[in-house]
Amino acid sequence: MATSRVTIGLLLPLQRNFIVDASAEKISVFEGVNFVGRGNITMPDKRVSRKHISLHGSSDGVVELVVEGPNPVIFKSGNQRRKLSSQEKLFIDDGDILELIPGNHFFKYVKASGEHASSSGRDLVFSDKAQKQADKDALVCDRNHQLLQDEALARTLQNLEDNRLLEVSPPVVSKSWSSCPTSDAVKVSSNSMEAVHQFNVSKDCLSLVFRLMRVQGLPKWANECTVAINDVIEGNILVAILSNYMVDIDWLKTACPKLWQIPHVLIVHGESGNRVDHLQKKKPVNWVLHKPSLPISYGTHHSKAMLLVYETGVRIIIHSANLIHVDWNNKTQGLWMQDFPYKNVKNLSESSFFERDLIEYINTLKWPGLNVNLPKLGDVNINASFFKKFDYSSSAVRLIASVPGYHSGPNLKKWGHMKMRTVLEECEFDKEFSKSPLVYQFSSLGSLDERWMSEFGASMSAGISHDNFPLGSGKPVIVWPTVEDVRCSLEGYAAGSAIPSPQKNVEKEFLKKYWSKWKADHLGRCRAMPHIKSYTRHSGQNLAWFLLTSANLSKAAWGALQKNNSQLMIRSYELGVLFLPSVMKGNLSQFSCTGNGDMKQMSTKDSKTKLVTLCWNGEPDSSSEIIIRLPVPYQLPAQPYSPEDVPWSWDRLYAKKDIHGEVWP
């Protein structure tokens, strides 16, 4: 039977001058759990979640606030002002003010006096059974809404392709397209297609490169040699460990039904609040969920990787996409993958840089061990030590990881940008890379200052030339979408929600000298907004090195030096792979967990390995030079912003309609 609820207070909507907005509806706060979100604000704002905050009210009128949505909330009490991130909590009391989005949607909490406390029949709450059904209906509604948006987008793009609007011939564009700049979706050059055709990499060489993920609605040539989730989660997998930030279990079930056939699955995630509850309810019984500890506030588990155990070996996948539909279908993303066999009895004690870095990183996650029975091995515990059983000597990359904590002493150079600095310091590069530019490309910008940019740049500039001189500091450029890029993208302004940097971070004066355009005509991805994170040093189309990672440009992801540079403070977990010509030298054994188990030897010991972009049109210096082409998704050299270009920030108002006729927010 339904029970009544006691009103213990009100949330009064405020105008920007903090005067009560009499035209807006007050929100009753009841004893028990209350949710406040998108349905409670007068102005539509996609940044506000349906259950943006929860208020846990007690009989004395004091309320515990929990941030349920992914976006921060501002709390103000007297002279105190504090930003709360997802899943942070605090108590609010009479007179406290909340901003559901920083600078937007103001509410003042006012306690109800004793005589105003209400338990009227109008304030009925659901019974437990009805409440569970309501929660379920809300999740289904939310999921269906997302599917409808995705399906509508796919239909629109398919219609455009069917009408040959994606051909080389001059397009007939609708009014909503006509105000957008000419882009690769409607203008394809033969040089662009040639660049992609040069990336037909044989299976034996795939571990030497990364690949882009398939994007719905692009012409066929732009999706050559790309991957989808079913291309990598394949074969007879015995154990799967999926590491990520966001996990949409409903999408996974349709996108990758193979996962439901795997006997043991561990999800290492960064979800919180209701999304964890939903995961717990919907997951199969053989799935285990684990969220690594976050010892420092404002951190996240952000690493994106897969460890797939087969009877013959293990597949390591490191990529840049959340496990959600839009990330695997609508964004520019990158993925690296390599299979490794079990060690033979002769080399059980041998290890490599890749193995040591991998085991050390897995150890920090402290996931619950999985006790499984594997062919030939019997009962084993799938923990960090288990992964010492594989032979990583053929690895063609170095791992660059971040883990939260205050790292000093021998740990100072193990993580974050100091790990990057340490690895680069051990490498020799061609003299052409002396003082050559650095490129930072990512999808979220932290709150930065010039001092940290110099610190970070020193790490990225490390290394020596073949004549034993330091390469010297490179001038950094930041590749970042403009407002027009987002407006005219495949998703329109909605793509901006995955480029979640606020105006206060983006529009700092000192950053203006770094801004460079997102241009990806050569890969047909100007309108597929980047969620990929990459960093490189280049001279023309030649690459000194290239990093594919989950790490955005922030102190939280890369760490910041403290205590006279003796300590590195990192907030988040991140993981990436660094492509280096020097690492690719040697006997590279190519092995496939889903093939016949044969080992193929590629000897590069006496060869010079050269990293280049797809737009490189040179010739090898000698017959022994091996050219490795990487599908760098943006054009180099990066083109600086024009005076008219405005960098995207997600908390500004954009009244000019996007490709779908929407404004933002």
Side-chain angles (χ1 to χ4, degrees):
M1 180 177 176
T3 58
S4 62
R5 302 185 76 178
V6 175
T7 303
I8 60 169
L10 294 171
L11 282 181
L12 304 179
L14 305 177
Q15 299 173 5
R16 286 186 176 271
N17 56 6
F18 298 107
I19 296 175
V20 174
D21 185 355
S23 64
E25 190 174 345
K26 301 171 184 176
I27 303 171
S28 295
V29 179
F30 302 106
E31 187 176 351
V33 181
N34 307 257
F35 289 100
V36 178
R38 192 178 300 172
N40 302 107
I41 59 177
T42 55
M43 186 173 127
D45 190 340
K46 296 175 183 176
R47 297 170 297 174
V48 179
S49 306
R50 288 172 177 79
K51 292 183 177 180
H52 198 69
I53 60 173
S54 60
L55 302 172
H56 304 253
S58 60
S59 57
D60 61 359
V62 177
V63 175
E64 183 183 38
L65 177 147
V66 181
V67 180
E68 303 288 356
N71 298 326
V73 170
I74 298 296
F75 162 80
K76 297 176 73 174
S77 181
N79 294 326
Q80 179 188 2
R81 188 175 190 272
R82 179 178 166 189
K83 182 170 77 170
L84 303 174
S85 297
S86 182
Q87 289 309 295
E88 285 202 275
K89 306 175 182 179
L90 56 66
F91 287 96
I92 64 173
D93 208 337
D94 191 62
D96 292 342
I97 292 174
L98 305 176
E99 300 171 27
L100 295 191
I101 295 292
N104 295 273
H105 316 301
F106 300 84
F107 290 90
K108 181 178 182 179
Y109 175 63
V110 179
K111 278 187 183 179
S113 59
E115 63 269 23
H116 291 121
S118 168
S119 58
S120 67
R122 289 181 300 169
D123 297 329
L124 297 180
V125 352
F126 290 115
S127 66
D128 287 345
K129 183 177 179 181
Q131 185 66 55
K132 288 178 181 176
Q133 185 60 44
D135 289 344
K136 180 179 178 182
D137 291 345
L139 283 165
V140 170
C141 179
D142 190 35
R143 175 69 190 143
N144 288 344
H145 178 67
Q146 181 64 56
L147 284 174
L148 284 172
Q149 286 184 322
D150 295 336
E151 288 166 3
L153 174 62
R155 281 197 299 270
T156 301
L157 295 171
Q158 189 59 56
N159 288 339
L160 291 172
E161 191 164 16
D162 290 344
N163 292 329
R164 303 184 64 79
L165 288 178
L166 298 174
E167 296 293 337
V168 181
S169 55
V172 179
V173 295
S174 65
K175 184 176 181 181
S176 62
W177 282 59
S178 60
S179 57
C180 288
T182 303
S183 70
D184 56 297
V186 294
K187 182 180 179 181
V188 178
S189 70
S190 58
N191 289 337
S192 298
M193 287 184 279
E194 180 63 26
V196 174
H197 291 159
Q198 292 172 351
F199 192 61
N200 283 324
V201 182
S202 71
K203 287 187 177 181
D204 296 339
C205 298
L206 283 177
S207 63
L208 303 178
V209 301
F210 70 94
R211 285 174 287 171
L212 300 177
M213 292 184 186
R214 208 157 297 151
V215 177
Q216 287 183 352
L218 295 186
K220 184 178 178 180
W221 68 268
N223 276 324
E224 289 192 18
C225 209
T226 58
V227 291
I229 192 166
N230 282 321
D231 297 326
V232 294
I233 301 180
E234 57 168 350
N236 185 26
I237 302 169
L238 305 176
V239 180
I241 297 161
L242 307 186
S243 167
N244 220 294
Y245 175 46
M246 296 177 65
V247 181
D248 182 347
I249 198 168
D250 300 295
W251 170 75
L252 270 177
K253 193 163 188 176
T254 55
C256 191
K258 178 73 182 176
L259 276 171
W260 271 252
Q261 302 167 18
I262 299 172
H264 305 279
V265 177
L266 171 64
I267 305 291
V268 184
H269 66 90
E271 296 281 22
S272 45
N274 291 336
R275 294 183 66 91
V276 177
D277 296 337
H278 184 57
L279 269 174
Q280 195 68 46
K281 291 174 185 176
K282 298 296 291 285
K283 75 174 184 65
V285 293
N286 62 314
W287 287 29
V288 176
L289 303 180
H290 174 64
K291 182 174 182 177
S293 64
L294 295 166
I296 304 178
S297 60
Y298 307 114
T300 59
H301 176 262
H302 200 245
S303 302
K304 295 164 177 65
M306 303 178 190
L307 310 178
L308 308 180
V309 179
Y310 295 80
E311 185 174 348
T312 56
V314 66
R315 174 169 291 180
I316 310 290
I317 302 163
I318 295 174
H319 60 96
S320 61
N322 288 291
L323 292 173
I324 60 177
H325 180 276
V326 293
D327 272 24
W328 284 82
N329 290 278
N330 301 339
K331 314 283 188 190
T332 297
Q333 304 274 20
L335 178 147
W336 169 86
M337 176 178 88
Q338 186 169 354
D339 293 358
F340 302 97
Y342 281 94
K343 290 177 179 175
N344 60 44
V345 292
K346 294 180 181 179
N347 62 358
L348 287 176
S349 61
E350 294 179 5
S351 66
S352 62
F353 284 124
F354 186 94
E355 176 180 323
R356 292 192 289 274
D357 291 341
L358 178 66
I359 302 306
E360 197 158 28
Y361 175 74
I362 294 175
N363 260 321
T364 68
L365 299 175
K366 296 184 175 9
W367 72 51
L370 296 178
N371 294 311
V372 305
N373 187 278
L374 296 179
K376 302 178 184 177
L377 294 178
D379 294 329
V380 296
N381 192 334
I382 307 296
N383 53 20
S385 294
F386 170 79
F387 290 93
K388 294 180 181 179
K389 298 180 182 295
F390 303 98
D391 182 359
Y392 305 101
S393 61
S394 63
S395 171
V397 297
R398 289 294 302 268
L399 289 179
I400 305 293
S402 294
V403 299
Y406 297 93
H407 307 293
S408 58
N411 294 323
L412 177 66
K413 297 181 178 181
K414 284 185 178 180
W415 312 110
H417 76 73
M418 290 302 291
K419 175 68 171 183
M420 186 76 175
R421 182 182 299 189
T422 302
V423 173
L424 292 178
E425 282 175 342
E426 298 168 352
C427 299
E428 289 186 3
F429 299 93
D430 288 341
K431 196 169 180 61
E432 67 174 310
F433 296 112
S434 294
K435 297 187 177 180
S436 65
L438 301 165
V439 179
Y440 309 156
Q441 179 275 312
F442 46 90
S443 61
S444 182
L445 180 71
S447 180
L448 305 180
D449 53 68
E450 292 193 78
R451 179 179 176 181
W452 185 84
M453 286 290 283
S454 296
E455 173 186 315
F456 184 71
S459 291
M460 294 297 179
S461 297
I464 60 173
S465 60
H466 292 310
D467 55 8
N468 216 31
F469 282 95
L471 288 184
S473 297
K475 179 183 177 183
V477 299
I478 293 176
V479 173
W480 182 261
T482 65
V483 173
E484 278 297 283
D485 290 332
V486 175
R487 188 179 73 84
C488 299
S489 69
L490 295 172
E491 303 166 89
Y493 286 131
S497 62
I499 312 173
S501 293
Q503 193 173 352
K504 66 181 180 63
N505 289 359
V506 172
E507 298 192 358
K508 291 182 176 179
E509 186 66 26
F510 82 93
L511 289 174
K512 288 183 177 179
K513 61 181 174 288
Y514 297 120
W515 294 126
S516 297
K517 294 176 182 286
W518 168 257
K519 288 188 68 66
D521 303 80
H522 64 304
L523 289 170
R525 278 167 170 71
C526 278
R527 298 180 59 245
M529 288 295 94
H531 191 265
I532 188 174
K533 291 92 168 132
S534 62
Y535 302 79
T536 190
R537 185 166 205 170
H538 75 102
S539 174
Q541 305 306 316
N542 297 330
L543 308 175
W545 50 263
F546 185 90
L547 178 72
L548 172 69
T549 179
S550 63
N552 287 301
L553 191 65
S554 70
K555 298 176 185 178
W558 284 102
L561 288 169
Q562 301 174 335
K563 296 185 176 180
N564 198 25
N565 298 339
S566 66
Q567 175 176 284
L568 185 70
M569 189 273 279
I570 301 176
R571 298 182 187 274
S572 299
Y573 295 90
E574 308 285 356
L575 191 60
V577 285
L578 177 62
F579 297 86
L580 284 162
S582 58
V583 177
M584 295 176 175
K585 288 186 176 182
N587 292 313
L588 303 180
S589 302
Q590 297 302 303
F591 164 81
S592 173
C593 288
T594 55
N596 57 16
D598 291 343
M599 298 282 289
K600 294 183 179 180
Q601 299 291 329
M602 291 176 55
S603 180
T604 60
K605 194 171 184 179
D606 299 320
S607 303
K608 179 183 178 183
T609 305
K610 185 172 185 175
L611 295 179
V612 300
T613 73
L614 297 192
C615 295
W616 182 82
N617 58 7
E619 295 290 336
D621 292 338
S622 67
S623 59
S624 62
E625 186 173 60
I626 298 174
I627 304 298
I628 306 294
R629 297 179 182 272
L630 297 181
V632 179
Y634 39 86
Q635 291 175 2
L636 295 175
Q639 182 180 341
Y641 275 20
S642 69
E644 294 76 31
D645 289 324
V646 177
W648 168 262
S649 54
W650 75 324
D651 57 351
R652 289 183 54 174
L653 302 179
Y654 302 108
K656 191 175 181 181
K657 291 185 177 180
D658 67 12
I659 188 174
H660 302 295
E662 302 288 340
V663 297
W664 182 267

